[in-house]
Amino acid sequence: MLARDLMSTGLLTFVPDMGLEAAARAMAERGVSGAPVVRKDGLLVGIITEGDLIRRLADAAAPKSGWFARMFRAAEEDAARFARVRGRIVKDAMTLDVASVDEDATAEQIAHIMESRGVRRVPVLRDGVLVGVVSRADLLRALIIDETGTAVARSDAEIRRALSAALREQPWFDRQLMFFDVADGVVRLHGFCGSEDIRRALRVLAEGLPGVMRVETDFTAPPPFLLGAR
């Protein structure tokens, strides 16, 4: 899937000169942990996150550096930190180094950025203008989409039907001795089976179905009277 398929639109955004208190209140009311910062023409200039805001509170309790430590730290570094934690508007506290993608970026590319940069959201740009954001929650949608672009079955009933159809095609599945249940995405295979190879094949088949969260097996070897009856 591509960024254009995954991204959220209708975003909460801020302008650089907005007050930080108002921005923090808007983020809390919307229940978001970060928002892009854009110019009036829509060009992305940064992103403000809850981490940026919390850093301001943490700095107030941080011990002051002694003169000896300050000797080995650049004056520009101290000045930048001062402005970041004491500023009153968004552009003072926002993160400037923002990893962004265009609309044709793949889910895998976005996931790599999130992992390597340690970020929760990636802005999507068109000619530098913000058109959407892919968050970790959005990215998870890529894991429940099959290769044809169709949403995969996720309900227990859908998983049950898909598993039943798949098992009917397997010559080693014995419907009279082997059974399954599905609850909350967990498949439980049980019944009578004396072959470790068949048990493993059943588990692999169930694990490969879209929507299956976990597979549990609870087979016992069939008693002699069952084998004799067959």
Side-chain angles (χ1 to χ4, degrees):
M1 295 187 70
L2 303 180
R4 62 165 54 91
D5 305 313
L6 295 166
M7 68 184 186
S8 298
T9 56
L11 305 169
L12 173 68
T13 61
F14 301 128
V15 293
D17 293 328
M18 184 176 186
L20 277 171
E21 183 177 343
R25 185 181 302 112
M27 289 169 61
E29 291 174 350
R30 289 281 293 269
V32 298
S33 59
V37 183
V38 297
R39 300 188 328 197
K40 292 182 179 179
D41 58 6
L43 288 176
L44 180 74
V45 293
I47 193 166
I48 186 81
T49 70
E50 59 186 5
D52 295 323
L53 299 174
I54 291 173
R55 187 179 297 111
R56 297 165 60 83
L57 296 176
D59 186 77
K64 303 302 179 183
S65 300
W67 66 269
F68 186 76
R70 290 196 297 270
M71 288 179 60
F72 297 94
R73 198 165 58 211
E76 290 83 357
E77 180 182 340
D78 279 344
R81 181 177 181 83
F82 181 90
R84 189 176 181 86
V85 301
R86 300 292 183 89
R88 295 177 177 270
I89 57 178
V90 168
K91 69 180 180 182
D92 292 328
M94 70 183 184
T95 297
L96 296 172
D97 183 18
V98 181
S100 61
V101 297
D102 60 28
E103 295 169 286
D104 292 325
T106 66
E108 292 79 8
Q109 290 171 330
I110 298 171
H112 176 71
I113 290 174
M114 288 184 178
E115 286 298 305
S116 61
R117 297 287 294 268
V119 296
R120 298 182 179 180
R121 62 195 59 79
V122 177
V124 183
L125 309 182
R126 182 190 302 151
D127 297 327
V129 175
L130 180 73
V131 293
V133 166
V134 176
S135 67
R136 291 192 176 188
D138 295 324
L139 193 60
L140 287 178
R141 292 170 48 202
L143 299 178
I144 57 173
I145 300 295
D146 65 17
E147 294 180 354
T148 66
T150 304
V152 302
R154 286 184 292 171
S155 72
D156 290 344
E158 290 171 320
I159 294 172
R160 194 175 294 110
R161 287 194 294 269
L163 180 55
S164 179
L167 289 173
R168 283 197 299 268
E169 299 177 358
Q170 309 308 323
W172 35 261
F173 176 68
D174 191 329
R175 296 177 63 88
Q176 296 181 357
L177 297 180
M178 305 172 190
F179 314 96
F180 67 87
D181 303 310
V182 182
D184 298 326
V186 178
V187 174
R188 177 174 171 267
L189 299 162
H190 58 97
F192 300 102
C193 179
S195 168
E196 183 61 33
D197 289 333
I198 293 179
R199 293 183 189 184
R200 183 166 55 251
L202 288 168
R203 175 183 56 78
V204 170
L205 185 150
E207 288 176 342
L209 291 177
V212 172
M213 305 297 293
R214 189 174 72 253
V215 177
E216 299 175 351
T217 59
D218 185 20
F219 287 110
T220 58
F225 74 89
L226 281 179
L227 295 175
R230 300 177 64 79

